[in-house]
Amino acid sequence: MSSVPSEGGRPPAKRSNITRVRTGCFTCRKRKKKCDEQKPACANCQKTGVVCEGFPPQIHWETRAALRKAAMAGNENVDLMMMNAGTMQTPMTALGFDIPMDYMPRDRLLSDASSTSFSNEYQGFIPDPQFGNGLDYMFNPQGTAIVMSQRGQQIGGFNPNGCSDMILSADRQNCGFDFPHNAHALLPGKAYIPRELPFLINGVESEMHQRLFCHFTQVMSQVLTISVGDKNPMNGVIIPLALRDRTMMDMLLCLASSHILRLHRGGADNKALHTEKSRLHQVAESSQLKRIHTLGRADFQSATTERSLNRPPDKEVIFATSLLLCLYEICEGTANNTWRTHLDTARQIITTDIDGLHPLTPNSHTNNLTTEIDPFLIEYFLYHDSLAAVTDTSLPLTSFQDNANLAHHDPTMVGVQDGLSDFIFRISKLRAQTDAKSPYPDGNIVAKAVIIWQDLKAWEPKDCLSNERKLIAEHYKWSLYIWLFSLIYPESKADPKIQEAVQRIAGEMCGIKFGDSVMSCLLFPLFVIGSAAIRQEDRDIVSIQFQRLREWSSLGNIDLTFEVLKMLWEDHDSGAPRSWDWVKKLETRGMSLLVT
């Protein structure tokens, strides 16, 4: 077939028979050399001693039906697909390649003055039928979808996660078209991996903090009181306070991290979690210290802090934060006096009236304890404050239960509302009056001890309590009796009635169902019963109960209490005098213990 001459009389150039491919490396394409496509570096580049810049990514194209099938299967790694009204599109050329005319915006062809930068900046262009002919979008090398108007204007964008970063930066009326619906419709099907739902709680952003928050609400809060489920005040009272106060939220997360570390020792993320726990504790403790100093100032109501989410912290928030700081020391199992500092702060808040100047005494007739602070927080403080007197002789022995007015509040701890905590204060006062050097107590001490015994003997648990609650209340009653007996007869641990009580109560503790909420208040009677145990059989039962309690709550002070108990056993077995005196043992070892 003869060639047809052109208008200039010269025959047209013959079309080359060379088949050009677009899959060579970037370097060979720039140098216009044939590439053997050897990977990772082609032989041509290696031979000439130049850097092989690699090969364009290979994109797999699928039909709309395949895309829908992948989406139904829950495939979150669907490759980027380009389609137009359900028809297959030709794949985009890779970065550095010429972009076909069919994929360019109508007013932005490669022959335009900006064609060089434009072709190098974008990998592909897609006309989107759902926006008609007025709106298209394209992808740059970072995987960002760039929304283009009919006149080639960039009017918005979406990041690789499928969420808008610019939210249509140009004015809609100036773009020459109307938006038929939300701009998120730019992403057909599963072309983009959708961004995960953000966490529901503000201020809990990282995955680690989300894990800690859920651990506190779903796990740790269930082992801190005898109330569980919807009645659990650790969630019902503490969480709302943490939502409005940053310091308290940090302390809540710190407390949860401490508990997780004790539950999962040796985990792979221990180092990172330990670091975050220390950071949260340091930040919360520093912030708490600043607002304690601020609490008594006249300008407190107008003061603002960097750690506050919504409003300046009030007495209730500072009081609750002090309790969480005390709980942190309990969970850590520290043997220092740090927990005492936090209890002292809470006591200072709870024993002053509203203006912060007049101290509250047991004979004061004021409703301050209930007007500003939630009854649960008051009860929780009184529980720990009373049991602190069991092992610490430096604390003020003053009970404020009469001022608490908790009659209409459902009990959440053992001993506070039923009067057993009052017995703890009375026995602690009696112990402070005894002479540790005398083998026999003063007659006045004996007379006062008998009065306490009469009241304790007459005490009965409420009929409305469950069997487990009645059983733990009985254990408290007998533990108080053994403690009172030890003050009158400090060297008579082997008394038959004491050993009979130890054997019976230790056996009854085995009847408490593992996981029952009363286990949150089991440590005090277990410690007192264990301190009086001299038979190996009874000690074995006590040891088993400590193990069960440790497995249930994983609080660090359980291990610390058991260590002190073993010291008392060693002293008794070695014939050491006053082996029943745990206060002396703690003072000798320079230790501090809170049996809660």
Side-chain angles (χ1 to χ4, degrees):
M1 181 175 179
S2 60
S3 60
V4 179
S6 62
E7 293 182 0
R10 296 171 58 184
K14 294 183 179 180
R15 177 173 296 182
S16 174
N17 292 328
I18 299 176
T19 302
R20 297 186 179 275
V21 296
R22 299 181 182 274
T23 55
C25 72
F26 293 121
T27 305
C28 289
R29 286 194 54 80
K30 291 179 181 179
R31 299 177 63 237
K32 298 183 178 179
K33 299 294 183 180
K34 181 176 176 60
C35 181
D36 64 352
E37 303 183 23
Q38 178 177 324
K39 298 179 180 180
C42 71
N44 192 16
C45 290
Q46 295 181 22
K47 182 178 180 181
T48 56
V50 296
V51 177
C52 182
E53 298 180 6
F55 300 84
Q58 301 298 312
I59 304 177
H60 301 281
W61 306 93
E62 300 188 32
T63 63
R64 185 183 296 274
L67 175 65
R68 186 182 300 109
K69 182 178 180 181
M72 293 294 292
N75 184 4
E76 294 295 338
N77 297 307
V78 181
D79 293 334
L80 180 63
M81 306 170 189
M82 298 181 180
M83 57 196 71
N84 186 5
T87 61
M88 186 73 66
Q89 299 294 320
T90 304
M92 292 295 97
T93 56
L95 179 62
F97 285 51
D98 296 333
I99 300 180
M101 299 277 286
D102 293 341
Y103 289 88
M104 290 296 298
R106 297 166 180 79
D107 297 334
R108 297 287 301 275
L109 300 180
L110 289 177
S111 59
D112 186 67
S114 60
S115 62
T116 302
S117 61
F118 187 84
S119 61
N120 287 335
E121 181 180 359
Y122 296 101
Q123 290 185 2
F125 172 81
I126 309 175
D128 196 318
Q130 58 188 330
F131 285 91
N133 294 326
L135 181 63
D136 305 310
Y137 63 97
M138 57 183 15
F139 300 90
N140 65 10
Q142 288 74 37
T144 302
I146 307 300
V147 187
M148 307 298 298
S149 71
Q150 193 175 31
R151 294 188 294 274
Q153 297 174 307
Q154 178 178 328
I155 62 173
F158 291 83
N159 62 27
N161 290 326
C163 293
S164 174
D165 287 332
M166 295 188 290
I167 310 298
L168 305 178
S169 58
D171 186 87
R172 296 186 178 189
Q173 296 181 356
N174 296 331
C175 296
F177 61 90
D178 295 328
F179 288 88
H181 45 70
N182 190 288
H184 283 279
L186 281 170
L187 308 176
K190 296 281 285 187
Y192 279 99
I193 299 176
R195 178 176 295 178
E196 294 183 358
L197 287 174
F199 194 59
L200 191 62
I201 306 303
N202 292 334
V204 186
E205 307 299 340
S206 68
E207 291 185 3
M208 178 182 290
H209 285 187
Q210 294 168 17
R211 174 191 176 193
L212 295 176
F213 185 87
C214 293
H215 178 82
F216 181 88
T217 58
Q218 300 171 17
V219 179
M220 189 175 187
S221 63
Q222 307 302 316
V223 301
L224 298 177
T225 73
I226 60 175
S227 300
V228 295
D230 294 338
K231 295 183 178 181
N232 183 1
M234 274 294 166
N235 288 338
V237 177
I238 297 297
I239 296 301
L241 294 178
L243 292 180
R244 81 185 199 213
D245 182 72
R246 180 72 256 176
T247 299
M248 193 164 175
M249 178 63 76
D250 284 347
M251 200 56 238
L252 182 148
L253 300 177
C254 174
L255 190 58
S257 63
S258 176
H259 193 238
I260 289 178
L261 287 171
R262 295 197 58 82
L263 280 172
H264 307 288
R265 300 179 184 180
D269 61 345
N270 272 10
K271 184 176 181 180
L273 189 57
H274 179 79
T275 301
E276 182 62 10
K277 178 198 72 173
S278 300
R279 187 194 70 82
L280 288 170
H281 182 255
Q282 181 179 5
V283 170
E285 196 169 37
S286 176
S287 176
Q288 176 75 346
L289 183 61
K290 291 179 181 179
R291 40 194 212 177
I292 288 172
H293 291 316
T294 309
L295 183 61
R297 299 203 323 232
D299 60 345
F300 173 75
Q301 295 299 328
S302 61
T304 57
T305 63
E306 295 179 357
R307 308 292 298 164
S308 177
L309 288 176
N310 299 319
R311 62 178 182 175
D314 52 21
K315 295 178 70 172
E316 184 179 46
V317 169
I318 300 177
F319 183 82
T321 305
S322 295
L323 293 182
L324 291 185
L325 285 165
C326 181
L327 275 178
Y328 172 80
E329 302 300 332
I330 292 175
C331 188
E332 288 287 289
T334 56
N336 53 38
N337 294 326
T338 309
W339 60 267
R340 183 190 303 166
T341 302
H342 302 306
L343 270 186
D344 288 342
T345 300
R347 185 182 301 105
Q348 183 180 3
I349 296 174
I350 204 174
T351 57
T352 54
D353 61 9
I354 296 177
D355 61 15
L357 298 176
H358 303 104
L360 182 66
T361 65
N363 296 325
S364 301
H365 298 285
T366 177
N367 293 325
N368 178 60
L369 298 186
T370 58
T371 55
E372 287 192 273
I373 300 176
D374 188 275
F376 160 68
L377 298 176
I378 298 174
E379 181 184 19
Y380 207 68
F381 162 77
L382 293 175
Y383 171 78
H384 289 82
D385 188 51
S386 62
L387 288 178
V390 174
T391 56
D392 196 330
T393 58
S394 64
L395 296 175
L397 302 177
T398 304
S399 174
F400 295 94
Q401 297 183 49
D402 294 338
N403 300 96
N405 192 20
L406 303 175
H408 302 290
H409 169 68
D410 291 336
T412 59
M413 309 301 295
V414 173
V416 178
Q417 296 195 44
D418 52 22
L420 288 174
S421 294
D422 188 60
F423 285 107
I424 295 177
F425 280 112
R426 294 172 64 183
I427 298 175
S428 298
K429 285 183 178 181
L430 191 65
R431 179 186 58 191
Q433 299 171 12
T434 59
D435 186 1
K437 297 180 180 180
S438 175
Y440 302 102
D442 180 83
N444 292 324
I445 300 297
V446 174
K448 294 179 181 178
V450 171
I451 295 176
I452 296 176
W453 171 82
Q454 289 175 329
D455 294 339
L456 186 61
K457 182 176 181 293
W459 182 91
E460 294 292 341
K462 297 180 180 179
D463 294 334
C464 60
L465 299 179
S466 63
N467 291 333
E468 289 78 9
R469 293 275 295 277
K470 290 181 179 179
L471 185 61
I472 194 70
E474 279 292 316
H475 292 169
Y476 265 71
K477 180 177 180 178
W478 277 91
S479 298
L480 292 170
Y481 170 79
I482 294 175
W483 183 20
L484 184 63
F485 183 90
S486 69
L487 299 181
I488 307 300
Y489 301 100
E491 301 293 347
S492 300
K493 185 185 297 187
D495 189 282
K497 56 187 175 184
I498 297 298
Q499 293 306 308
E500 188 275 333
V502 169
Q503 182 178 5
R504 178 175 52 81
I505 297 176
E508 290 177 351
M509 285 183 176
C510 297
I512 297 178
K513 183 180 179 181
F514 182 83
D516 194 283
S517 59
V518 298
M519 293 183 68
S520 61
C521 298
L522 189 60
L523 188 59
F524 165 68
L526 186 58
F527 173 69
V528 176
I529 294 301
S531 68
I534 60 177
R535 299 172 59 247
Q536 188 59 45
E537 296 84 350
D538 297 333
R539 291 180 179 180
D540 291 340
I541 296 177
V542 170
S543 300
I544 293 174
Q545 294 305 313
F546 267 97
Q547 181 178 353
R548 293 177 74 235
L549 194 57
R550 186 187 305 112
E551 292 175 354
W552 178 70
S553 71
S554 297
L555 298 180
N557 68 322
I558 297 174
D559 294 331
L560 182 61
T561 304
F562 189 56
E563 289 299 321
V564 174
L565 197 59
K566 289 190 293 185
M567 295 178 191
L568 298 177
W569 291 346
E570 292 175 358
D571 287 349
H572 175 81
D573 295 343
S574 64
R578 304 186 71 89
S579 62
W580 215 346
D581 193 347
W582 55 72
V583 172
K584 177 184 176 183
K585 175 59 63 176
L586 290 171
E587 292 176 349
T588 303
R589 295 298 184 95
M591 300 172 61
S592 179
L593 176 65
L594 183 60
V595 287
T596 61

